[in-house]
mmCIF file of all heavy atoms in Angstrom:
data_model
loop_
_atom_site.group_PDB
_atom_site.id
_atom_site.type_symbol
_atom_site.label_atom_id
_atom_site.label_comp_id
_atom_site.label_asym_id
_atom_site.label_seq_id
_atom_site.Cartn_x
_atom_site.Cartn_y
_atom_site.Cartn_z
ATOM 1 N N ALA A 1 0.869 -1.192 -0.002
ATOM 2 C CA ALA A 1 0.026 -0.014 -0.131
ATOM 3 C C ALA A 1 0.900 1.164 -0.091
ATOM 4 O O ALA A 1 2.155 1.212 0.146
ATOM 5 C CB ALA A 1 -0.916 -0.055 1.279
ATOM 6 N N VAL A 2 0.212 2.416 -0.197
ATOM 7 C CA VAL A 2 1.052 3.598 0.045
ATOM 8 C C VAL A 2 0.560 4.150 1.234
ATOM 9 O O VAL A 2 -0.526 3.993 1.813
ATOM 10 C CB VAL A 2 0.729 4.675 -1.148
ATOM 11 C CG1 VAL A 2 1.332 4.132 -2.456
ATOM 12 C CG2 VAL A 2 -0.752 4.824 -1.374
ATOM 13 N N SER A 3 1.498 4.967 2.040
ATOM 14 C CA SER A 3 1.190 5.420 3.298
ATOM 15 C C SER A 3 1.912 6.725 3.423
ATOM 16 O O SER A 3 2.930 6.973 2.946
ATOM 17 C CB SER A 3 1.709 4.496 4.380
ATOM 18 O OG SER A 3 1.650 4.993 5.646
ATOM 19 N N LEU A 4 1.157 7.643 4.187
ATOM 20 C CA LEU A 4 1.815 8.766 4.754
ATOM 21 C C LEU A 4 2.788 8.402 5.943
ATOM 22 O O LEU A 4 2.342 7.628 6.728
ATOM 23 C CB LEU A 4 0.948 9.885 5.261
ATOM 24 C CG LEU A 4 0.012 10.614 4.306
ATOM 25 C CD1 LEU A 4 -0.867 11.550 4.958
ATOM 26 C CD2 LEU A 4 1.081 11.401 3.428
ATOM 27 N N THR A 5 4.021 8.925 5.896
ATOM 28 C CA THR A 5 4.870 8.500 6.962
ATOM 29 C C THR A 5 5.096 9.626 7.887
ATOM 30 O O THR A 5 5.136 10.869 7.620
ATOM 31 C CB THR A 5 6.351 8.347 6.273
ATOM 32 O OG1 THR A 5 6.752 9.350 5.643
ATOM 33 C CG2 THR A 5 6.230 7.029 5.517
ATOM 34 N N PRO A 6 4.933 9.314 9.166
ATOM 35 C CA PRO A 6 5.017 10.361 10.265
ATOM 36 C C PRO A 6 6.397 11.157 10.356
ATOM 37 O O PRO A 6 7.419 10.713 9.906
ATOM 38 C CB PRO A 6 4.737 9.618 11.650
ATOM 39 C CG PRO A 6 4.176 8.343 11.247
ATOM 40 C CD PRO A 6 4.683 8.016 9.804
ATOM 41 N N SER A 7 6.378 12.370 10.731
ATOM 42 C CA SER A 7 7.566 13.140 10.871
ATOM 43 C C SER A 7 8.408 12.686 12.046
ATOM 44 O O SER A 7 7.848 12.483 13.133
ATOM 45 C CB SER A 7 7.178 14.567 11.048
ATOM 46 O OG SER A 7 8.186 15.303 11.622
ATOM 47 N N GLN A 8 9.638 12.469 11.858
ATOM 48 C CA GLN A 8 10.488 12.041 13.080
ATOM 49 C C GLN A 8 10.492 13.208 14.135
ATOM 50 O O GLN A 8 10.462 12.798 15.286
ATOM 51 C CB GLN A 8 11.846 11.762 12.506
ATOM 52 C CG GLN A 8 12.833 11.262 13.563
ATOM 53 C CD GLN A 8 14.226 10.997 13.119
ATOM 54 O OE1 GLN A 8 14.777 11.715 12.203
ATOM 55 N NE2 GLN A 8 14.817 9.882 13.480
ATOM 56 N N LEU A 9 10.494 14.397 13.645
ATOM 57 C CA LEU A 9 10.555 15.494 14.640
ATOM 58 C C LEU A 9 9.289 15.525 15.513
ATOM 59 O O LEU A 9 9.421 15.787 16.699
ATOM 60 C CB LEU A 9 10.748 16.800 13.870
ATOM 61 C CG LEU A 9 11.980 17.010 13.078
ATOM 62 C CD1 LEU A 9 12.128 18.322 12.463
ATOM 63 C CD2 LEU A 9 13.286 16.765 14.042
ATOM 64 N N VAL A 10 8.162 15.360 14.981
ATOM 65 C CA VAL A 10 6.985 15.411 15.737
ATOM 66 C C VAL A 10 6.834 14.199 16.598
ATOM 67 O O VAL A 10 6.571 14.373 17.860
ATOM 68 C CB VAL A 10 5.784 15.277 14.780
ATOM 69 C CG1 VAL A 10 4.365 15.037 15.574
ATOM 70 C CG2 VAL A 10 5.585 16.661 13.966
ATOM 71 N N CYS A 11 7.436 13.044 16.154
ATOM 72 C CA CYS A 11 7.343 11.770 17.022
ATOM 73 C C CYS A 11 8.306 12.014 18.192
ATOM 74 O O CYS A 11 8.014 11.730 19.256
ATOM 75 C CB CYS A 11 7.772 10.540 16.148
ATOM 76 S SG CYS A 11 6.519 9.946 14.999
ATOM 77 N N LEU A 12 9.466 12.590 17.936
ATOM 78 C CA LEU A 12 10.436 12.830 18.995
ATOM 79 C C LEU A 12 9.851 13.775 20.057
ATOM 80 O O LEU A 12 10.037 13.578 21.335
ATOM 81 C CB LEU A 12 11.727 13.322 18.510
ATOM 82 C CG LEU A 12 12.607 12.316 17.751
ATOM 83 C CD1 LEU A 12 13.715 13.142 17.053
ATOM 84 C CD2 LEU A 12 13.191 11.353 18.661
ATOM 85 N N ARG A 13 9.203 14.833 19.670
ATOM 86 C CA ARG A 13 8.608 15.881 20.532
ATOM 87 C C ARG A 13 7.405 15.206 21.345
ATOM 88 O O ARG A 13 7.188 15.504 22.543
ATOM 89 C CB ARG A 13 8.183 17.033 19.745
ATOM 90 C CG ARG A 13 9.254 17.882 19.233
ATOM 91 C CD ARG A 13 8.758 18.930 18.308
ATOM 92 N NE ARG A 13 7.840 19.995 18.914
ATOM 93 C CZ ARG A 13 7.172 20.831 18.365
ATOM 94 N NH1 ARG A 13 6.915 20.757 17.000
ATOM 95 N NH2 ARG A 13 6.319 21.529 19.109
ATOM 96 N N LEU A 14 6.616 14.279 20.638
ATOM 97 C CA LEU A 14 5.624 13.641 21.277
ATOM 98 C C LEU A 14 6.094 12.732 22.402
ATOM 99 O O LEU A 14 5.423 12.532 23.464
ATOM 100 C CB LEU A 14 4.762 12.928 20.305
ATOM 101 C CG LEU A 14 3.299 12.339 20.718
ATOM 102 C CD1 LEU A 14 2.599 13.451 21.447
ATOM 103 C CD2 LEU A 14 2.609 11.785 19.509
ATOM 104 N N VAL A 15 7.175 11.891 22.107
ATOM 105 C CA VAL A 15 7.714 10.871 23.125
ATOM 106 C C VAL A 15 8.116 11.860 24.303
ATOM 107 O O VAL A 15 7.928 11.475 25.507
ATOM 108 C CB VAL A 15 8.905 10.159 22.444
ATOM 109 C CG1 VAL A 15 9.753 9.545 23.627
ATOM 110 C CG2 VAL A 15 8.432 9.250 21.507
ATOM 111 N N ARG A 16 8.750 12.991 24.046
ATOM 112 C CA ARG A 16 9.210 13.784 25.161
ATOM 113 C C ARG A 16 7.972 14.341 25.939
ATOM 114 O O ARG A 16 8.088 14.222 27.322
ATOM 115 C CB ARG A 16 9.993 15.047 24.694
ATOM 116 C CG ARG A 16 11.466 14.656 24.213
ATOM 117 C CD ARG A 16 12.335 15.899 24.224
ATOM 118 N NE ARG A 16 11.947 16.758 23.140
ATOM 119 C CZ ARG A 16 12.534 16.596 21.919
ATOM 120 N NH1 ARG A 16 13.381 15.758 21.649
ATOM 121 N NH2 ARG A 16 12.178 17.427 20.955
ATOM 122 N N ALA A 17 7.072 14.687 25.305
ATOM 123 C CA ALA A 17 5.799 15.228 26.040
ATOM 124 C C ALA A 17 5.089 13.916 26.787
ATOM 125 O O ALA A 17 4.620 14.230 28.024
ATOM 126 C CB ALA A 17 4.867 15.820 25.087
ATOM 127 N N LEU A 18 4.967 12.827 26.218
ATOM 128 C CA LEU A 18 4.338 11.684 26.797
ATOM 129 C C LEU A 18 5.148 11.070 27.929
ATOM 130 O O LEU A 18 4.539 10.557 28.933
ATOM 131 C CB LEU A 18 4.111 10.585 25.822
ATOM 132 C CG LEU A 18 3.048 11.006 24.814
ATOM 133 C CD1 LEU A 18 3.066 9.937 23.618
ATOM 134 C CD2 LEU A 18 1.588 10.951 25.466
ATOM 135 N N THR A 19 6.485 11.209 27.888
ATOM 136 C CA THR A 19 7.277 10.689 29.110
ATOM 137 C C THR A 19 7.699 11.759 30.063
ATOM 138 O O THR A 19 8.561 11.410 30.987
ATOM 139 C CB THR A 19 8.564 9.987 28.510
ATOM 140 O OG1 THR A 19 9.250 10.962 27.666
ATOM 141 C CG2 THR A 19 8.127 8.835 27.658
ATOM 142 N N GLY A 20 7.348 13.033 29.851
ATOM 143 C CA GLY A 20 7.728 14.100 30.740
ATOM 144 C C GLY A 20 6.755 14.180 31.991
ATOM 145 O O GLY A 20 5.931 13.313 32.403
ATOM 146 N N ALA A 21 6.839 15.357 32.497
ATOM 147 C CA ALA A 21 6.093 15.671 33.797
ATOM 148 C C ALA A 21 4.647 16.257 33.487
ATOM 149 O O ALA A 21 4.291 17.249 33.535
ATOM 150 C CB ALA A 21 6.816 16.727 34.511
ATOM 151 N N ASP A 22 3.849 15.039 33.157
ATOM 152 C CA ASP A 22 2.353 15.293 33.078
ATOM 153 C C ASP A 22 2.070 16.398 32.116
ATOM 154 O O ASP A 22 1.379 17.504 32.470
ATOM 155 C CB ASP A 22 1.689 15.548 34.342
ATOM 156 C CG ASP A 22 1.869 14.470 35.300
ATOM 157 O OD1 ASP A 22 1.813 13.181 34.841
ATOM 158 O OD2 ASP A 22 2.026 14.687 36.465
ATOM 159 N N ALA A 23 2.414 16.078 30.749
ATOM 160 C CA ALA A 23 2.074 17.151 29.816
ATOM 161 C C ALA A 23 0.508 17.210 29.624
ATOM 162 O O ALA A 23 -0.038 16.179 29.625
ATOM 163 C CB ALA A 23 2.642 16.813 28.472
ATOM 164 N N PRO A 24 0.004 18.403 29.529
ATOM 165 C CA PRO A 24 -1.443 18.428 29.447
ATOM 166 C C PRO A 24 -1.987 17.758 28.113
ATOM 167 O O PRO A 24 -1.403 17.799 27.150
ATOM 168 C CB PRO A 24 -1.793 19.923 29.376
ATOM 169 C CG PRO A 24 -0.462 20.587 28.821
ATOM 170 C CD PRO A 24 0.610 19.680 29.482
ATOM 171 N N LEU A 25 -3.356 17.300 28.215
ATOM 172 C CA LEU A 25 -3.866 16.706 27.130
ATOM 173 C C LEU A 25 -3.966 17.433 25.877
ATOM 174 O O LEU A 25 -3.622 16.912 24.673
ATOM 175 C CB LEU A 25 -5.265 16.215 27.571
ATOM 176 C CG LEU A 25 -5.951 15.315 26.312
ATOM 177 C CD1 LEU A 25 -5.251 14.167 25.899
ATOM 178 C CD2 LEU A 25 -7.439 15.090 26.851
ATOM 179 N N ARG A 26 -4.153 18.761 25.997
ATOM 180 C CA ARG A 26 -4.169 19.640 24.882
ATOM 181 C C ARG A 26 -2.848 19.707 24.075
ATOM 182 O O ARG A 26 -2.846 19.746 22.909
ATOM 183 C CB ARG A 26 -4.552 21.137 25.350
ATOM 184 C CG ARG A 26 -4.406 22.089 24.164
ATOM 185 C CD ARG A 26 -5.145 21.861 23.001
ATOM 186 N NE ARG A 26 -6.576 21.747 23.395
ATOM 187 C CZ ARG A 26 -7.499 21.495 22.271
ATOM 188 N NH1 ARG A 26 -7.119 21.065 21.160
ATOM 189 N NH2 ARG A 26 -8.765 21.357 22.696
ATOM 190 N N GLU A 27 -1.722 19.789 24.806
ATOM 191 C CA GLU A 27 -0.427 19.612 24.218
ATOM 192 C C GLU A 27 -0.253 18.419 23.436
ATOM 193 O O GLU A 27 0.143 18.325 22.248
ATOM 194 C CB GLU A 27 0.714 19.816 25.133
ATOM 195 C CG GLU A 27 2.089 19.716 24.584
ATOM 196 C CD GLU A 27 3.150 19.796 25.600
ATOM 197 O OE1 GLU A 27 2.885 20.100 26.810
ATOM 198 O OE2 GLU A 27 4.405 19.479 25.278
ATOM 199 N N ILE A 28 -0.802 17.206 24.056
ATOM 200 C CA ILE A 28 -0.636 15.873 23.236
ATOM 201 C C ILE A 28 -1.555 16.027 21.971
ATOM 202 O O ILE A 28 -1.040 15.559 20.925
ATOM 203 C CB ILE A 28 -1.065 14.890 24.160
ATOM 204 C CG1 ILE A 28 -0.299 14.732 25.439
ATOM 205 C CG2 ILE A 28 -1.107 13.467 23.496
ATOM 206 C CD1 ILE A 28 1.138 14.533 25.267
ATOM 207 N N GLU A 29 -2.704 16.528 22.108
ATOM 208 C CA GLU A 29 -3.569 16.590 21.030
ATOM 209 C C GLU A 29 -3.045 17.404 19.879
ATOM 210 O O GLU A 29 -3.126 17.081 18.744
ATOM 211 C CB GLU A 29 -4.913 17.050 21.364
ATOM 212 C CG GLU A 29 -5.779 16.247 22.409
ATOM 213 C CD GLU A 29 -7.063 16.904 22.902
ATOM 214 O OE1 GLU A 29 -7.293 18.079 22.371
ATOM 215 O OE2 GLU A 29 -7.724 16.296 23.673
ATOM 216 N N ASP A 30 -2.510 18.461 20.297
ATOM 217 C CA ASP A 30 -2.049 19.424 19.322
ATOM 218 C C ASP A 30 -0.857 18.820 18.470
ATOM 219 O O ASP A 30 -0.641 18.987 17.290
ATOM 220 C CB ASP A 30 -1.525 20.724 19.967
ATOM 221 C CG ASP A 30 -2.535 21.606 20.419
ATOM 222 O OD1 ASP A 30 -3.732 21.282 19.965
ATOM 223 O OD2 ASP A 30 -2.299 22.611 21.183
ATOM 224 N N LEU A 31 0.079 18.076 19.230
ATOM 225 C CA LEU A 31 1.136 17.351 18.546
ATOM 226 C C LEU A 31 0.707 16.226 17.624
ATOM 227 O O LEU A 31 1.158 16.244 16.355
ATOM 228 C CB LEU A 31 2.144 16.826 19.635
ATOM 229 C CG LEU A 31 3.136 17.776 20.323
ATOM 230 C CD1 LEU A 31 3.774 17.090 21.549
ATOM 231 C CD2 LEU A 31 4.178 18.315 19.263
ATOM 232 N N VAL A 32 -0.248 15.447 18.029
ATOM 233 C CA VAL A 32 -0.784 14.558 17.196
ATOM 234 C C VAL A 32 -1.489 15.043 15.919
ATOM 235 O O VAL A 32 -1.188 14.719 14.732
ATOM 236 C CB VAL A 32 -1.682 13.463 17.864
ATOM 237 C CG1 VAL A 32 -2.377 12.543 16.926
ATOM 238 C CG2 VAL A 32 -1.055 12.861 19.061
ATOM 239 N N ALA A 33 -2.191 16.168 16.289
ATOM 240 C CA ALA A 33 -3.008 16.731 15.142
ATOM 241 C C ALA A 33 -2.085 17.406 14.090
ATOM 242 O O ALA A 33 -2.501 17.622 12.960
ATOM 243 C CB ALA A 33 -4.071 17.763 15.658
ATOM 244 N N SER A 34 -0.785 17.790 14.519
ATOM 245 C CA SER A 34 0.041 18.506 13.731
ATOM 246 C C SER A 34 0.681 17.583 12.610
ATOM 247 O O SER A 34 1.386 18.056 11.626
ATOM 248 C CB SER A 34 1.120 19.130 14.428
ATOM 249 O OG SER A 34 2.112 18.214 14.957
ATOM 250 N N ASP A 35 0.424 16.296 12.686
ATOM 251 C CA ASP A 35 1.071 15.293 11.793
ATOM 252 C C ASP A 35 -0.076 14.472 11.311
ATOM 253 O O ASP A 35 -0.543 13.531 11.904
ATOM 254 C CB ASP A 35 2.076 14.380 12.485
ATOM 255 C CG ASP A 35 2.897 13.647 11.452
ATOM 256 O OD1 ASP A 35 2.307 13.028 10.533
ATOM 257 O OD2 ASP A 35 4.110 13.549 11.669
ATOM 258 N N PRO A 36 -0.444 14.637 10.065
ATOM 259 C CA PRO A 36 -1.619 13.891 9.399
ATOM 260 C C PRO A 36 -1.401 12.355 9.533
ATOM 261 O O PRO A 36 -2.327 11.566 9.595
ATOM 262 C CB PRO A 36 -1.762 14.364 7.947
ATOM 263 C CG PRO A 36 -1.248 15.765 8.091
ATOM 264 C CD PRO A 36 -0.055 15.688 9.131
ATOM 265 N N ALA A 37 -0.101 11.910 9.271
ATOM 266 C CA ALA A 37 0.240 10.360 9.081
ATOM 267 C C ALA A 37 -0.047 9.815 10.523
ATOM 268 O O ALA A 37 -0.619 8.840 10.656
ATOM 269 C CB ALA A 37 1.554 10.290 8.649
ATOM 270 N N LEU A 38 0.420 10.516 11.510
ATOM 271 C CA LEU A 38 0.285 9.946 12.802
ATOM 272 C C LEU A 38 -1.221 10.074 13.305
ATOM 273 O O LEU A 38 -1.648 9.090 13.939
ATOM 274 C CB LEU A 38 1.146 10.898 13.891
ATOM 275 C CG LEU A 38 1.088 10.470 15.286
ATOM 276 C CD1 LEU A 38 1.620 9.121 15.442
ATOM 277 C CD2 LEU A 38 2.042 11.479 16.027
ATOM 278 N N SER A 39 -1.848 11.042 12.980
ATOM 279 C CA SER A 39 -3.342 11.142 13.333
ATOM 280 C C SER A 39 -4.138 9.960 12.584
ATOM 281 O O SER A 39 -4.906 9.316 13.227
ATOM 282 C CB SER A 39 -3.926 12.463 12.817
ATOM 283 O OG SER A 39 -3.236 13.602 13.274
ATOM 284 N N LEU A 40 -3.776 9.733 11.425
ATOM 285 C CA LEU A 40 -4.394 8.525 10.697
ATOM 286 C C LEU A 40 -4.088 7.277 11.328
ATOM 287 O O LEU A 40 -4.969 6.422 11.478
ATOM 288 C CB LEU A 40 -4.023 8.497 9.162
ATOM 289 C CG LEU A 40 -4.760 7.683 8.320
ATOM 290 C CD1 LEU A 40 -6.206 8.041 8.150
ATOM 291 C CD2 LEU A 40 -4.165 7.541 6.872
ATOM 292 N N ARG A 41 -2.933 7.119 11.756
ATOM 293 C CA ARG A 41 -2.622 5.790 12.407
ATOM 294 C C ARG A 41 -3.352 5.688 13.707
ATOM 295 O O ARG A 41 -3.791 4.612 14.138
ATOM 296 C CB ARG A 41 -1.100 5.717 12.697
ATOM 297 C CG ARG A 41 -0.352 5.499 11.360
ATOM 298 C CD ARG A 41 1.155 5.292 11.622
ATOM 299 N NE ARG A 41 1.784 5.129 10.185
ATOM 300 C CZ ARG A 41 2.889 4.469 9.983
ATOM 301 N NH1 ARG A 41 3.538 3.896 10.950
ATOM 302 N NH2 ARG A 41 3.499 4.436 8.870
#
């Protein structure tokens, strides 16, 4: 199949947010929403 591939930079920032000191849900949502490929997955 063909697929959109997520951005490495967005993924790295999201990992930091998810493993940090309780990043707010809005920040998590904004990061996921900023990458269409990640959103689709």
Side-chain angles (χ1 to χ4, degrees):
V2 291
S3 172
L4 283 178
T5 54
S7 159
Q8 184 177 41
L9 298 180
V10 171
C11 287
L12 287 171
R13 291 172 63 194
L14 190 51
V15 167
R16 283 199 290 268
L18 290 166
T19 56
D22 299 324
L25 180 60
R26 172 53 65 183
E27 180 183 349
I28 304 300
E29 291 175 3
D30 288 345
L31 281 169
V32 175
S34 74
D35 191 317
L38 183 56
S39 300
L40 189 62
R41 292 188 183 203

